[in-house]
Amino acid sequence: MIRKHALAATMAIIGTATAASALQQSMSFGENWSYGGSDGPDAWSTVAPACGAGMQSPIVISGTEPAVMHRLETLYNVTPVATQNAANTVQQNYEQGSLLRVGPKVFILKEFHFHTPAEHQVLEQTFPMEIQFTHQALNGEMAIVSVLVREGRANQAAEELLPNLPIEPGQGINLPNVKINARDFMPQEKDYYRYMGFLSHPPCTPGVNWYVLKTPIEFSADQIKLIQGIVGTNNRPVQPRDNRIILDAQTQ
């Protein structure tokens, strides 16, 4: 009962709070960068100096250290489809009120978006796609849950979203009668690798809590091809590890 009342109190606070500027800037940074050509990743630091700092993302997950960590609690609500083609990706914006809880920390789910191919690599294994779920706490701290996608069976949850993805840059599609739940785009098992990094695209905001889930989900070849046809190749190359600790979470 105490847990339930605490969650209700948190939801009340969230309902009256405004999002911190770091996430707002990251979601509307502009289009003067891309994933290729003269304004590709090698040039990002000219438009966003933080992209040239150390401890960037994504990285190769290797040399991990076991640690007892909190479980990821995805307290997500069903939300209407509200997709936006942001030129460098397609993102599903989320209504206020869905939470990620990691022990005593609570983050608000803001959006999720697609990368083809995947940005993170696990040892020598690469993946054709990655879905990143962006969250932010009331104090501005950011957390991104990364779900790796391998080719396999058609993803049933995606059948509601994929036909409605906007094709043209800047285009948005809002369908209040078509509902999805972000949790359906995650594996049931949420064991994870944990490291600290930056946003993996401009403005490369620092201090991001990255949670890379160990268990991939499956999309069919046609589903992956459809997304790639819209977003193109939009993965930042893996970045130097810079002596960071990567935790292999043993959840409690």
Side-chain angles (χ1 to χ4, degrees):
M1 183 64 69
I2 293 175
R3 181 184 181 87
K4 185 175 181 180
H5 289 324
L7 178 58
T10 302
M11 294 289 287
I13 294 171
I14 289 170
T16 59
T18 57
S21 60
L23 184 59
Q24 293 173 337
Q25 292 172 0
S26 74
M27 295 171 66
S28 59
F29 190 69
E31 299 178 8
N32 55 343
W33 60 275
S34 71
Y35 286 94
S38 60
D39 55 359
D42 290 342
W44 286 357
S45 60
T46 63
V47 296
C51 296
M55 299 182 68
Q56 294 289 315
S57 301
I59 59 174
V60 176
I61 304 297
S62 64
T64 59
E65 298 186 16
V68 177
M69 305 285 287
H70 294 292
R71 293 186 299 113
L72 301 184
E73 296 182 70
T74 50
L75 308 175
Y76 298 161
N77 299 323
V78 172
T79 194
V81 167
T83 61
Q84 176 186 355
N85 189 318
N88 292 306
T89 190
V90 171
Q91 68 185 39
Q92 163 67 29
N93 298 317
Y94 228 77
E95 287 189 336
Q96 195 79 286
S98 290
L99 306 177
L100 170 70
R101 176 174 290 172
V102 189
K105 293 186 176 183
V106 176
F107 301 90
I108 308 162
L109 175 62
K110 296 296 184 178
E111 56 87 24
F112 64 86
H113 61 274
F114 302 91
H115 291 274
T116 59
E119 295 199 304
H120 288 88
Q121 179 178 326
V122 180
L123 298 175
E124 301 298 320
Q125 189 173 10
T126 59
F127 296 84
M129 192 167 78
E130 180 174 339
I131 310 174
Q132 294 178 2
F133 300 77
T134 306
H135 308 76
Q136 189 170 40
L138 296 180
N139 65 2
E141 186 178 1
M142 297 180 68
I144 298 180
V145 176
S146 170
V147 175
L148 300 168
V149 180
R150 64 188 176 199
E151 185 178 317
R153 295 171 296 179
N155 187 288
Q156 295 302 310
E159 293 300 311
E160 295 289 341
L161 180 63
L162 297 192
N164 300 306
L165 294 182
I167 297 175
E168 299 296 329
Q171 180 185 13
I173 295 177
N174 297 298
L175 299 172
N177 295 324
V178 180
K179 306 295 180 66
I180 60 171
N181 192 324
R183 190 169 53 223
D184 295 335
F185 292 84
M186 293 180 169
Q188 186 171 9
E189 179 55 64
K190 294 181 178 61
D191 287 345
Y192 59 89
Y193 302 106
R194 163 77 160 77
Y195 78 96
M196 293 298 297
F198 284 48
L199 280 183
S200 62
H201 57 79
C204 300
T205 307
V208 174
N209 301 272
W210 280 93
Y211 301 93
V212 180
L213 300 192
K214 298 179 185 179
T215 304
I217 64 171
E218 292 185 353
F219 273 53
S220 70
D222 286 343
Q223 288 177 325
I224 294 171
K225 185 177 180 180
L226 187 153
I227 294 172
Q228 188 171 36
I230 297 174
V231 305
T233 298
N234 67 340
N235 67 311
R236 187 186 193 184
V238 291
Q239 302 295 299
R241 179 168 177 165
D242 287 334
N243 297 315
R244 274 174 284 184
I245 295 174
I246 306 173
L247 299 176
D248 181 346
Q250 317 297 310
T251 56
Q252 61 181 10

